[in-house]
């Protein structure tokens, strides 16, 4: 079985709660198979673009997202340990997999931690010149020593 098509952001509430609006678009392409060991696998991708709040100017910024899936279903932790390497275990107590929840989780992980426009014109606090760093720090013994030494050589 194969699922291919657009997922609406309304169907992905956890994911869309990270976004600033629901104007984005996610295309899901998932292939369901039984592998040679009769393990149920889900492979594929979810990708598209969404809008997050720029952390500098607080305006929406378009963000590309792409998540890939290489899952094998297991019905218990025990069974998950027996899965071949290379698969991410998907433990499902029941036969029915909450697929959208899995799709959402990977999409959330693919979001940038600090979204922002690449050419955002608003200055960040990181970009401000350091005004605090002056010769007022007399409590630093190394600095005091360096100053004494400098005074000696200049005399
Ligand atoms: Zn910005």
């Amino acid at each position: 079985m194969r699922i291919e098509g657009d997922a609406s952001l309304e169907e992905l509430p956890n994911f869309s709660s990270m976004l600033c609006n629901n104007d984005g678009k996610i295309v899901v392409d998932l292939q369901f198979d039984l592998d040679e060991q009769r393990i149920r696998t889900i492979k594929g991708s979810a990708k598209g673009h969404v809008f997050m709040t720029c952390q500098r100017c607080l305006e929406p910024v378009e963000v590309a997202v792409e998540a890939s899936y290489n899952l094998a279903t297991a019905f218990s932790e025990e069974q998950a340990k027996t899965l071949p390497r290379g698969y991410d275990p998907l433990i499902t107590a029941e036969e029915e997999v909450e697929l959208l929840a899995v799709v959402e989780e990977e999409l959330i992980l693919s979001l940038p931690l600090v979204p922002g426009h690449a050419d955002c014109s608003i200055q960040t606090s990181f970009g401000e010149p350091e005004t605090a760093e002056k010769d007022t720090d007399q409590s630093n013994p190394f600095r005091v020593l360096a100053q004494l030494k400098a005074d000696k050589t200049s005399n």
Side-chain angles (χ1 to χ4, degrees):
M1 185 175 74
R2 187 172 184 183
I3 293 181
E4 198 180 1
D6 296 356
S8 88
L9 291 172
E10 286 84 0
E11 288 176 287
L12 306 167
N14 291 329
F15 176 59
S16 58
S17 71
M18 315 285 289
L19 312 175
C20 67
N21 62 39
N22 280 354
D23 291 345
K25 187 180 164 186
I26 299 292
V27 179
V28 178
D29 183 0
L30 293 172
Q31 178 80 42
F32 295 71
D33 275 316
L34 276 178
D35 78 358
E36 59 276 6
Q37 295 178 60
R38 311 281 304 160
I39 297 166
R40 284 152 49 100
T41 63
I42 305 170
K43 295 177 189 177
S45 67
K47 54 189 162 189
H49 66 272
V50 294
F51 294 89
M52 295 180 81
T53 303
C54 173
Q55 295 302 293
R56 288 172 218 154
C57 68
L58 305 179
E59 293 291 321
V61 56
E62 189 173 326
V63 173
V65 287
E66 179 164 6
S68 60
Y69 306 91
N70 189 19
L71 305 160
T73 56
F75 299 117
S76 63
E77 293 272 358
E78 283 301 300
Q79 198 193 347
K81 285 175 191 158
T82 69
L83 290 172
R85 283 168 180 274
Y87 288 124
D88 292 323
L90 173 63
I91 297 163
T92 55
E94 291 135 40
E95 190 75 17
E96 201 62 42
V97 175
E98 280 203 57
L99 188 59
L100 282 176
V102 177
V103 169
E104 271 196 302
E105 201 179 309
E106 283 299 317
L107 281 170
I108 289 169
L109 291 174
S110 78
L111 289 171
L113 288 176
V114 184
H117 298 106
D119 56 349
C120 195
S121 56
I122 308 288
Q123 274 292 317
T124 69
S125 55
F126 306 111
E128 282 169 20
E130 288 177 32
T131 49
E133 190 72 21
K134 277 188 177 175
D135 280 342
T136 52
D137 188 10
Q138 296 291 343
S139 61
N140 184 330
F142 295 103
R143 182 163 296 187
V144 173
L145 274 178
Q147 205 137 29
L148 285 174
K149 208 174 172 185
D151 286 344
K152 245 182 188 173
T153 50
S154 68
N155 285 341

